[in-house]
Amino acid sequence: MKNRHALTHPVEFKPIDLLAVAASREVTDGDVVFAGTGLPMLAIGLAQLTGAPNAVCIYEAGSVDGHPISLPTSVGDARCIYQASIASGLFDVFNQLQRGLVDLAFLGGAEVDRYGNVNTTGMGTYGIVPEKRLTGSGGNSDINGLAKKTVFIMVQEKRRFKEKVDFITSPGWKIPKWPGGEIVDKKEVYNNAFRGGPEAVITNMGVFRFDENGEMYLSTYHPGSSVEEIQANCGFEVNVSRVQGETPPPTYGELDYLYNTIDPEGIFLS
Amino acid sequence: MKNRHALTHPVEFKPIDLLAVAASREVTDGDVVFAGTGLPMLAIGLAQLTGAPNAVCIYEAGSVDGHPISLPTSVGDARCIYQASIASGLFDVFNQLQRGLVDLAFLGGAEVDRYGNVNTTGMGTYGIVPEKRLTGSGGNSDINGLAKKTVFIMVQEKRRFKEKVDFITSPGWKIPKWPGGEIVDKKEVYNNAFRGGPEAVITNMGVFRFDENGEMYLSTYHPGSSVEEIQANCGFEVNVSRVQGETPPPTYGELDYLYNTIDPEGIFLS
Amino acid sequence: MAPPKQMNLKDAIAQIQDGDMLTFSGFTIWRRPMAAVYELIRQGRKDLHLVEVNGGTHSDLLIGAGCVKIWESCWIGHELFGKIGANLARKAEAGEVVIEDYSHLQILYRMAAGSMGVPYLPTYASLGTDILNPKYDHLGQMGLRDGSHPKIPMKKYEVVKDPFYGGELIHVPAVNPDWCIAHVQMIGEGGTVRVDGQVYSDEEAIKASDNVIVVAEQVVTEEYIRREPTRNLVAGHQITSIVELPWGAHPTGCFGCYETDGSFINKFFTRTRTQEGLDAWVQEWIHDIPDFNAYLEKVGIETLETIRANPAFGYSTKIKRGTRA
Amino acid sequence: MAPPKQMNLKDAIAQIQDGDMLTFSGFTIWRRPMAAVYELIRQGRKDLHLVEVNGGTHSDLLIGAGCVKIWESCWIGHELFGKIGANLARKAEAGEVVIEDYSHLQILYRMAAGSMGVPYLPTYASLGTDILNPKYDHLGQMGLRDGSHPKIPMKKYEVVKDPFYGGELIHVPAVNPDWCIAHVQMIGEGGTVRVDGQVYSDEEAIKASDNVIVVAEQVVTEEYIRREPTRNLVAGHQITSIVELPWGAHPTGCFGCYETDGSFINKFFTRTRTQEGLDAWVQEWIHDIPDFNAYLEKVGIETLETIRANPAFGYSTKIKRGTRA
């Protein structure tokens, strides 16, 4: 039997496994974490089984700190409230977010720019008749705006990592101040409600973080990927001056938790 | 055995009985009624047993349409939620009030003026150091402002029926518009939330109502009282041009309900 | 106020007029009034104005079927069973439906304001996003914010200073839909509503609306539902009509009663990405069927029994969900 | 965030500093944290700033005992058992305590705003009353609204235009007390709070406060309290300290546990209408007693058993209340 703490080798895990594991490592014990459907559920579940047993998970539909024994397929799922502290509704949990209680949130997106502005609304020209409509903001923009730290999980493609996203659904570190629309630091827009912003973007190729100016830089590349491959799949020039080497792969224990404890049915990990 | 619908004679009822009965007769079937502790509880209970079986009673502390089998001593009482539709809290019921769902409310007061402005805050000079502090507004001002109709139950004394109350706690038909403080029609102050205002003041001597200009007039005097006695116990000149005669006394059935069904323990009806 | 009337689904839905503003119970693919949506389509309702805290299978279908003119919300999709609301996307891209975007918290607060009887609520949500870009105030761009439409506020939002503690934030306008159609587990004969599990934004949606149709898995006596008033959500004086219709949320899930029928939703998503596909789906599942009983027959007892919830958990323990189950 | 710590009442209350802003659970004479108030007095806390949705026996006592400097609320009294808050009246008339008046809805909204993380809420409540008379903005008159006191807003209220639907209304500022002291029926070891019966304004008071001490009739396992998460009000990450103290709300009532001890409150009211009377009462019921166990001994087992609630109703069926009982 393998040591649960030993690192796996590239052939022993899938890209999605590393995404879940890397995301789970962003959780500090005791964090109040806002999570959505899919990978975030795997990440928070894994974090609670490993380094952050006291992390509290809030789902947007209205559950707090559930301990599902069967993985939910969405945050509205009946499974979310098993052994939960609270089963309430959106008004409760979004108020907690706005009150400043959320330490960390996991989010996704269709497009991102170097400041962590994210688009989930529409591709191409937007307007009364949009060119290509996406799902819309959901809670993405609220959560990215009001949580202390956010971590995005995304697919690394040139068309998704853009110099300028087609629609700023979710606010990064440099954002328009309305009604004028001049681009300023997030702090200036959020004033009394400013608490932080995007902390990391985790893709299938690497982990990005944000510097003092709110600009994205490559922190680690995943085993099997490289700085060059990542730059080739990024629509803007990536700051690679702070690369720290390879992303640590999953441990055998982490994979075991993911496949046998968290998602044994193969809902997200097929 | 007396006919339940027959009217009692003055020696057969107490002043408080007539207050409760007169108040209960203000309820229309189907009304949503906001009621407070004491006489209002007797009035709404009696109304539900007589002319308004479908009246819905909301108590300020957070209960809707309770059917207590033991009379509550306050709106926060555990008894309020017996067979209630909802046991919630203030946020729920005050929002219903502001949303315009309350048809009628019963209120009290220490002082009233001819426009139905009521004082429950302080007598004499008010300020950082008040001359004589009372209980404060409670929900009186909110309810009088936002219910469609309000009925006040008060003690008839010259010092309580004043030309000008010492502090307008609860808004009548002519009120100050802040921040300037000019006296205007209630409609002008409440604009989109204007729904009505004081409908009647019921005292131990008579029933007052309000005319088209929002001015109080005497409608009926209680058996044993008179127009003259009422004027003598009123600090402003009462309009008596519309007096319709005596207030109908309680029926035997109403007294039976009050003493044997609603308050058999003698909590308010000792 | 008259107590709510119990009626059949057809009569209840017939009260809704073309052009009315609607909202719904539930969250994405949970506790959506699907049977009521089928009936709206069957009755051919047009020009509906939907304002909902989030969208899902119900609204994507209603939009695809051509019943909707304006959709104000923050999200639409079918969760794991269909990544986007393809019908809304197609209709919007064709210029047949207008989208007004708010964030989740903003649209929730619009509904909450409506339920509280205030004309707006303040929030810090989604500052610094294109949701607030005046260019994308679509109703404003179309000239609908001129004050002549009583349900359309004169501004999409407003930027304001906070005079109490300093700083700056926005106000989002209240919404009071003409109708909320809510699917819940239980209602009393007098209209006392009980929602079990997560309540999502049902309280706000119901209380903001001028009229409310409640479709319930079960209608019970008031005496029964009032034994535990702390578990009830809304009293009868805020309810207009009551319809008893078990399984009425299918294919969306209903806590304690049945699971989301993910396979059904995924087939809907796959088949309705084109207008032709949607039209065929509507023909097959709505117009070719006389009523909801026939619908359930067509879904089949095996499916219904598979998705039926285990009372110990509130969800089905029989359904196969993942690839390794 | 660290999970809440369970501790004894003395240590929990010792965390509160002179000058702190406090709020409480409950409604008038129901579910007030009386034992905690006795302990605050025993520890000699001074200059407290109370902001509460309504007052009652607990705050009238705390004010009478000289612990309070500012009281912002809408009402104080003892319901049927004492018509006014005589201690507050006396202290205010002597210039020793400053009252800032709001209406019930207004002060509720101040707490709700605090719990929602917004700086204010809009309302139509109590327009056209002297509550809004600038002359009676007492904290403003005293120069405390200059922005140098982080918990005191720079205005008492603001009159505003509604740009969405027309009309005019006011904004009332949020409040975020340093501490909420809440008495509830049940709490889990991890801080999950359950309130049974009417919740009054507990949710707003707890969630608006920066720190929360929960005094509970019973501390139970988290596994137990989480079997029915729909019945719970607040999660552990919003709770600071847990104290287990049965009867801790006496003489106020606690739904499902015990009745208000009206006779006790009426004696308190009668005896404490003068400062001398209040001082003697405090000496007898607080300083001459080492702790809450001794207090309960002094109240006596007969009284406690008489007010104990009948589980079928949530209130006592043994207590004599009226003159004809």
Side-chain angles (χ1 to χ4, degrees):
Chain A
M1 177 139 177
K2 294 275 173 36
N3 181 336
R4 291 185 65 84
H5 297 287
L7 299 175
T8 54
H9 300 285
V11 293
E12 294 175 301
F13 63 88
K14 297 179 194 155
I16 192 174
D17 304 340
L18 183 55
L19 279 173
V21 167
S24 81
R25 291 172 182 164
E26 298 291 324
V27 183
T28 303
D29 197 21
D31 273 357
V32 175
V33 181
F34 227 81
T37 297
L39 270 169
M41 288 178 168
L42 304 180
I44 179 66
L46 184 57
Q48 287 173 329
L49 289 167
T50 55
N54 296 305
V56 169
C57 177
I58 300 185
Y59 287 137
E60 196 167 348
S63 73
V64 179
D65 202 27
H67 286 78
I69 48 174
S70 171
L71 189 64
T73 55
S74 101
V75 299
D77 196 324
R79 289 162 182 80
C80 294
I81 73 168
Y82 187 81
Q83 279 287 312
S85 178
I86 304 289
S88 57
L90 280 70
F91 195 68
D92 177 18
V93 297
F94 274 112
N95 286 343
Q96 292 193 39
L97 172 72
Q98 192 164 245
R99 176 85 171 86
L101 297 178
V102 175
D103 298 302
L104 176 67
F106 291 115
L107 297 166
E111 294 182 345
V112 65
D113 72 14
R114 67 171 77 238
Y115 297 113
N117 295 309
V118 167
N119 177 13
T120 66
T121 300
M123 305 280 232
T125 308
Y126 198 66
I128 294 174
V129 182
E131 194 171 335
K132 181 173 169 43
R133 172 72 193 190
L134 303 173
T135 56
S137 68
N140 202 313
S141 53
D142 308 310
I143 299 165
N144 200 24
L146 296 167
K148 291 177 195 157
K149 293 194 294 192
T150 55
V151 172
F152 282 85
I153 304 173
M154 289 181 65
V155 178
Q156 179 88 51
E157 291 179 33
K158 202 172 190 115
R159 67 186 186 102
R160 292 177 182 277
F161 279 65
K162 297 180 68 165
E163 189 63 47
K164 192 171 181 320
V165 294
D166 291 344
F167 186 105
I168 299 177
T169 309
S170 193
W173 292 104
K174 306 265 187 198
I175 50 178
K177 184 173 167 69
W178 300 108
E182 60 280 16
I183 302 296
V184 298
D185 285 346
K186 182 183 177 188
K187 194 169 183 172
E188 196 177 318
V189 175
Y190 277 76
N191 53 87
N192 285 354
F194 175 78
R195 292 151 196 151
E199 171 78 10
V201 178
I202 302 176
T203 77
N204 46 312
M205 296 183 186
V207 176
F208 300 82
R209 297 191 179 276
F210 293 85
D211 67 18
E212 313 72 47
N213 295 319
E215 283 190 56
M216 203 187 287
Y217 66 87
L218 183 64
S219 178
T220 60
Y221 49 88
H222 296 340
S225 186
S226 66
V227 170
E228 294 71 29
E229 188 190 15
I230 289 168
Q231 181 60 73
N233 284 280
C234 185
F236 54 86
E237 196 176 336
V238 184
N239 175 358
V240 296
S241 68
R242 303 193 189 196
V243 173
Q244 297 192 315
E246 268 195 5
T247 314
T251 64
Y252 291 101
E254 286 168 332
L255 286 190
D256 176 51
Y257 278 137
L258 283 175
Y259 281 81
N260 299 318
T261 305
I262 296 169
D263 189 13
E265 294 173 70
I267 292 167
F268 300 111
L269 298 172
S270 56
Chain B
M1 178 137 177
K2 296 274 176 35
N3 181 334
R4 290 185 67 82
H5 297 287
L7 298 175
T8 55
H9 301 286
V11 293
E12 295 176 301
F13 63 87
K14 297 179 192 155
I16 192 174
D17 305 340
L18 183 55
L19 279 173
V21 166
S24 81
R25 292 172 181 163
E26 298 291 325
V27 183
T28 304
D29 196 22
D31 273 357
V32 175
V33 181
F34 227 81
T37 297
L39 269 170
M41 288 178 169
L42 304 180
I44 180 66
L46 184 56
Q48 287 173 327
L49 289 167
T50 55
N54 297 303
V56 169
C57 176
I58 299 185
Y59 287 138
E60 196 166 347
S63 71
V64 179
D65 202 28
H67 287 79
I69 48 174
S70 170
L71 190 65
T73 56
S74 100
V75 297
D77 195 325
R79 289 162 181 80
C80 295
I81 72 168
Y82 186 81
Q83 277 288 312
S85 178
I86 304 289
S88 57
L90 281 70
F91 195 68
D92 177 18
V93 298
F94 274 112
N95 286 342
Q96 293 193 40
L97 172 71
Q98 191 164 246
R99 177 86 171 85
L101 299 177
V102 175
D103 298 301
L104 176 68
F106 291 115
L107 297 165
E111 294 181 346
V112 66
D113 72 15
R114 67 170 77 237
Y115 297 112
N117 295 308
V118 167
N119 177 13
T120 66
T121 300
M123 305 280 230
T125 308
Y126 198 65
I128 295 172
V129 182
E131 195 171 334
K132 181 172 168 45
R133 170 74 193 189
L134 303 173
T135 56
S137 69
N140 203 313
S141 53
D142 308 309
I143 298 164
N144 201 23
L146 296 167
K148 291 175 194 160
K149 294 195 292 190
T150 55
V151 172
F152 283 85
I153 303 172
M154 289 183 63
V155 178
Q156 180 89 51
E157 291 179 32
K158 203 174 189 112
R159 65 184 188 103
R160 293 175 182 277
F161 279 65
K162 299 182 66 165
E163 189 63 47
K164 192 173 181 317
V165 294
D166 291 344
F167 185 104
I168 300 176
T169 308
S170 195
W173 290 104
K174 306 263 187 199
I175 49 179
K177 184 173 166 69
W178 301 109
E182 60 279 18
I183 302 296
V184 298
D185 285 347
K186 183 184 176 187
K187 194 169 183 171
E188 196 178 318
V189 176
Y190 277 77
N191 53 88
N192 285 354
F194 175 77
R195 291 152 197 149
E199 171 79 11
V201 178
I202 303 175
T203 78
N204 46 313
M205 296 182 185
V207 176
F208 301 82
R209 296 190 181 277
F210 293 85
D211 66 19
E212 313 71 48
N213 296 319
E215 282 190 55
M216 203 187 288
Y217 65 87
L218 184 62
S219 176
T220 61
Y221 49 88
H222 296 340
S225 186
S226 65
V227 170
E228 294 69 30
E229 189 191 16
I230 288 168
Q231 180 60 76
N233 284 280
C234 185
F236 53 86
E237 196 176 336
V238 184
N239 175 358
V240 296
S241 68
R242 304 193 188 195
V243 173
Q244 299 193 311
E246 268 194 6
T247 312
T251 64
Y252 290 102
E254 286 168 333
L255 286 189
D256 176 51
Y257 278 138
L258 282 175
Y259 282 83
N260 298 319
T261 304
I262 297 170
D263 189 13
E265 294 173 70
I267 292 167
F268 300 111
L269 298 171
S270 56
Chain C
M1 199 165 289
K5 285 203 182 69
Q6 194 170 340
M7 50 179 73
N8 65 43
L9 183 64
K10 189 178 164 186
D11 293 346
I13 293 302
Q15 301 175 101
I16 298 171
Q17 305 293 310
D18 286 353
D20 277 357
M21 182 184 279
L22 263 63
T23 196
F24 308 97
S25 64
F27 185 92
T28 67
I29 53 169
W30 296 92
R31 252 185 338 86
R32 297 306 198 172
M34 293 300 298
V37 165
Y38 299 148
E39 188 60 30
L40 280 166
I41 296 171
R42 186 174 286 121
Q43 295 188 14
R45 209 64 75 249
K46 295 287 171 209
D47 297 332
L48 297 174
H49 182 160
L50 307 191
V51 182
E52 52 179 354
V53 174
N54 54 66
T57 307
H58 66 297
S59 43
D60 193 51
L61 169 59
L62 200 56
I63 290 164
C67 305
V68 178
K69 194 173 177 180
I70 300 172
W71 180 77
E72 301 193 63
S73 190
C74 74
W75 186 93
I76 197 165
H78 315 271
E79 298 274 9
L80 194 57
F81 311 111
K83 286 196 171 185
I84 68 159
N87 287 285
L88 172 65
R90 184 179 60 252
K91 288 286 192 187
E93 290 158 19
E96 295 172 33
V97 169
V98 177
I99 296 171
E100 190 68 272
D101 291 290
Y102 284 93
S103 76
H104 216 165
L105 201 162
Q106 287 172 353
I107 190 84
L108 171 71
Y109 268 29
R110 292 196 58 194
M111 206 62 78
S115 76
M116 293 162 71
V118 293
Y120 53 84
L121 279 177
T123 178
Y124 294 104
S126 299
L127 296 174
T129 68
D130 274 330
I131 294 168
L132 304 185
N133 189 333
K135 209 164 53 163
Y136 305 133
D137 167 8
H138 294 160
L139 299 189
Q141 298 285 350
M142 293 167 74
L144 297 171
R145 298 200 187 281
D146 60 359
S148 69
H149 306 270
K151 296 279 180 192
I152 298 178
M154 289 182 277
K155 288 184 147 196
K156 178 174 177 177
Y157 73 94
E158 192 177 45
V159 179
V160 285
K161 301 276 180 200
D162 161 18
F164 299 108
Y165 299 100
E168 196 172 288
L169 68 167
I170 60 165
H171 292 167
V172 290
V175 62
N176 292 111
D178 294 302
W179 295 91
C180 175
I181 313 178
H183 187 95
V184 307
Q185 289 92 351
M186 190 181 284
I187 191 168
E189 292 163 337
T192 299
V193 175
R194 179 174 300 173
V195 173
D196 202 8
Q198 299 181 82
V199 296
Y200 310 129
S201 46
D202 286 18
E203 183 169 0
E204 293 76 23
I206 291 173
K207 293 185 176 176
S209 298
D210 294 338
N211 300 281
V212 181
I213 296 170
V214 176
V215 184
E217 292 290 321
Q218 292 183 299
V219 178
V220 300
T221 62
E222 283 291 317
E223 187 282 322
Y224 176 78
I225 208 165
R226 288 167 179 243
R227 289 181 199 168
E228 295 180 84
T230 57
R231 293 178 62 188
N232 301 334
L233 192 69
V234 188
H237 66 271
Q238 293 194 265
I239 305 302
T240 314
S241 306
I242 299 171
V243 178
E244 185 169 28
L245 198 66
W247 303 102
H250 179 275
T252 68
C254 182
F255 180 91
C257 299
Y258 42 91
E259 190 73 44
T260 299
D261 188 346
S263 159
F264 187 101
I265 292 178
N266 186 247
K267 279 181 209 144
F268 168 82
F269 174 69
T270 308
R271 282 186 55 188
T272 68
R273 301 197 70 160
T274 64
Q275 190 62 46
E276 297 67 36
L278 185 278
D279 291 343
W281 195 98
V282 166
Q283 189 64 39
E284 177 184 346
W285 285 95
I286 301 175
H287 294 309
D288 286 351
I289 282 175
D291 57 23
F292 196 65
N293 280 332
Y295 171 89
L296 292 179
E297 295 275 11
K298 190 169 158 71
V299 170
I301 197 76
E302 187 180 340
T303 296
L304 297 181
E305 287 306 326
T306 301
I307 62 173
R308 189 193 287 282
N310 182 318
F313 302 105
Y315 52 84
S316 167
T317 47
K318 299 182 292 286
I319 195 169
K320 172 176 156 45
R321 301 188 304 149
T323 55
R324 281 178 286 123
Chain D
M1 200 167 286
K5 286 205 181 70
Q6 193 169 341
M7 51 179 71
N8 65 42
L9 182 64
K10 187 177 166 189
D11 294 344
I13 294 302
Q15 301 174 101
I16 298 171
Q17 305 293 311
D18 286 353
D20 278 357
M21 182 184 279
L22 261 62
T23 196
F24 309 97
S25 65
F27 185 94
T28 66
I29 53 169
W30 296 92
R31 256 187 333 88
R32 298 304 199 174
M34 293 300 298
V37 165
Y38 298 149
E39 187 60 29
L40 280 166
I41 295 170
R42 187 174 286 121
Q43 294 187 14
R45 210 64 77 248
K46 294 285 173 210
D47 298 332
L48 297 174
H49 183 160
L50 307 190
V51 181
E52 52 178 355
V53 173
N54 54 66
T57 307
H58 66 297
S59 43
D60 193 53
L61 169 60
L62 200 55
I63 290 164
C67 304
V68 177
K69 193 172 179 179
I70 300 172
W71 180 77
E72 301 192 64
S73 190
C74 73
W75 186 93
I76 197 164
H78 315 271
E79 300 273 9
L80 194 58
F81 311 111
K83 287 194 173 187
I84 67 159
N87 287 286
L88 172 66
R90 183 178 63 250
K91 289 287 191 185
E93 291 158 17
E96 294 172 36
V97 169
V98 177
I99 295 171
E100 189 69 271
D101 291 291
Y102 284 93
S103 77
H104 216 165
L105 200 163
Q106 287 171 355
I107 190 86
L108 171 70
Y109 268 29
R110 291 195 59 193
M111 207 60 81
S115 75
M116 293 162 70
V118 292
Y120 53 83
L121 279 177
T123 178
Y124 294 103
S126 299
L127 297 172
T129 69
D130 274 330
I131 294 168
L132 304 184
N133 189 332
K135 204 162 61 162
Y136 305 133
D137 167 8
H138 294 159
L139 298 189
Q141 300 284 351
M142 292 168 74
L144 296 172
R145 298 201 187 279
D146 59 359
S148 69
H149 306 270
K151 296 280 180 191
I152 298 178
M154 290 183 277
K155 288 183 146 197
K156 179 174 177 177
Y157 73 95
E158 191 177 43
V159 179
V160 283
K161 300 277 181 200
D162 161 17
F164 299 108
Y165 300 100
E168 195 172 292
L169 67 168
I170 61 165
H171 291 168
V172 291
V175 61
N176 292 109
D178 294 303
W179 295 92
C180 174
I181 313 179
H183 188 94
V184 307
Q185 289 94 348
M186 190 181 286
I187 191 168
E189 292 164 336
T192 299
V193 175
R194 179 174 302 174
V195 172
D196 202 9
Q198 297 181 84
V199 296
Y200 310 130
S201 46
D202 286 18
E203 184 170 358
E204 292 76 23
I206 291 173
K207 293 184 177 178
S209 298
D210 295 337
N211 301 281
V212 181
I213 295 171
V214 175
V215 185
E217 292 289 321
Q218 290 183 300
V219 178
V220 300
T221 63
E222 283 290 316
E223 187 281 324
Y224 176 79
I225 207 165
R226 287 168 179 242
R227 289 181 200 169
E228 294 179 85
T230 57
R231 294 178 62 189
N232 301 334
L233 194 71
V234 188
H237 66 270
Q238 293 194 266
I239 304 302
T240 314
S241 305
I242 300 170
V243 178
E244 185 169 30
L245 198 67
W247 304 101
H250 179 275
T252 68
C254 183
F255 180 91
C257 299
Y258 42 92
E259 191 72 45
T260 298
D261 189 346
S263 158
F264 188 101
I265 292 178
N266 186 249
K267 280 182 208 144
F268 167 83
F269 174 70
T270 308
R271 281 186 56 187
T272 68
R273 301 197 68 160
T274 64
Q275 191 62 46
E276 298 67 36
L278 184 280
D279 291 343
W281 195 97
V282 165
Q283 189 65 39
E284 178 184 346
W285 284 95
I286 300 175
H287 293 308
D288 284 351
I289 281 176
D291 58 24
F292 196 66
N293 279 334
Y295 171 89
L296 292 178
E297 295 273 11
K298 189 168 159 69
V299 171
I301 198 75
E302 187 179 340
T303 296
L304 297 180
E305 288 304 327
T306 302
I307 62 172
R308 189 192 289 280
N310 181 316
F313 302 105
Y315 52 84
S316 168
T317 47
K318 301 182 292 282
I319 195 170
K320 175 175 154 45
R321 301 188 304 149
T323 53
R324 282 178 287 123

